[in-house]
Amino acid sequence: MPTFWKRLLIALVALVLVGWGVMRFMKVQTKKASPEEVVTFFFDGTEIAVDYSRPYKKGRAIFGGLVPYGTVWRTGANEATTFMVNKDITFGKTPVKAGTYTLWTLPGADRWEVYLNGKKYGWGVDMDGVAQRDPLADVAKVTVQPQPTDTLVEQFTISVEGDPTALVLQWDRTRVEVPLGL
């Protein structure tokens, strides 16, 4: 093989390795600001796991500010939030089969729409910061009222609570509950 082609091949391999390293570094740096968490909940043989990134408030106005009203939100930061369930459930009043879904919200001052979507998405938003959710892939939609709270929640938190069972989203002074039938 001529020297020119060897050098070109080496340069291309080096360029790919450097690009991969830069992307890896950027991903690690991004996750420092909004750490990834996987939380798992067990209720009478039903397992629900939520994989999401947890941004901090850091003194910012959250809903109606950082997260605008009337715009679809990936419900966390970084990659799209995933919601996995091992058994059939109801999400709101909609039957949902066991499987893995992405979780999206449309926050509003007086009402939120919460969606389970059947597609997987890489990052959750495009290069312009617009949510990548494909509405045609929605499997469930629930409209709920946000509840103001006295307690300030600094870091975005998703949990599954109680009796009746609900998926709970909390951040800043806002709490949203989506009824789950297990």
Side-chain angles (χ1 to χ4, degrees):
M1 180 182 279
T3 305
F4 169 78
W5 292 110
K6 285 182 187 177
R7 287 183 181 163
L8 182 62
L9 182 59
I10 290 170
L12 287 174
V13 169
L15 187 61
V16 166
L17 289 175
V18 167
W20 178 83
V22 167
M23 292 302 289
R24 190 83 179 128
F25 175 77
M26 287 172 44
K27 187 173 182 179
V28 168
Q29 293 302 334
T30 299
K31 295 219 179 203
K32 283 183 183 178
S34 300
E36 184 176 8
E37 184 161 342
V38 178
V39 288
T40 306
F41 307 93
F42 299 94
F43 294 93
D44 296 328
T46 302
E47 177 183 348
I48 297 172
V50 181
D51 184 347
Y52 70 114
S53 291
R54 302 183 62 205
Y56 289 90
K57 177 174 170 47
K58 297 181 184 175
R60 302 174 289 189
I62 300 301
F63 298 111
L66 178 66
V67 178
Y69 290 139
T71 301
V72 173
W73 179 42
R74 63 183 154 186
T75 317
N78 305 326
E79 294 90 355
T81 295
T82 59
F83 177 94
M84 185 283 300
V85 62
N86 70 332
K87 293 185 175 181
D88 296 354
I89 64 167
T90 56
F91 190 83
K93 294 181 180 178
T94 304
V96 173
K97 297 281 185 197
T100 301
Y101 303 92
T102 50
L103 181 69
W104 304 85
T105 50
L106 180 65
D110 299 322
R111 71 179 202 146
W112 282 40
E113 292 177 358
V114 183
Y115 308 93
L116 278 185
N117 189 280
K119 283 180 77 174
K120 307 295 184 289
Y121 304 85
W123 196 245
V125 294
D126 62 20
M127 296 300 283
D128 295 322
V130 177
Q132 291 181 328
R133 172 182 148 257
D134 175 3
L136 297 176
D138 289 344
V139 297
K141 171 187 162 188
V142 179
T143 301
V144 295
Q145 283 190 299
Q147 303 163 9
T149 64
D150 292 331
T151 305
L152 175 71
V153 177
E154 175 66 24
Q155 189 177 21
F156 177 61
T157 302
I158 298 177
S159 59
V160 175
E161 298 179 6
D163 187 22
T165 307
L167 176 70
V168 178
L169 313 174
Q170 296 182 93
W171 199 13
D172 196 3
R173 294 187 187 278
T174 301
R175 177 182 174 97
V176 173
E177 296 182 14
V178 178
L180 298 177
L182 306 182

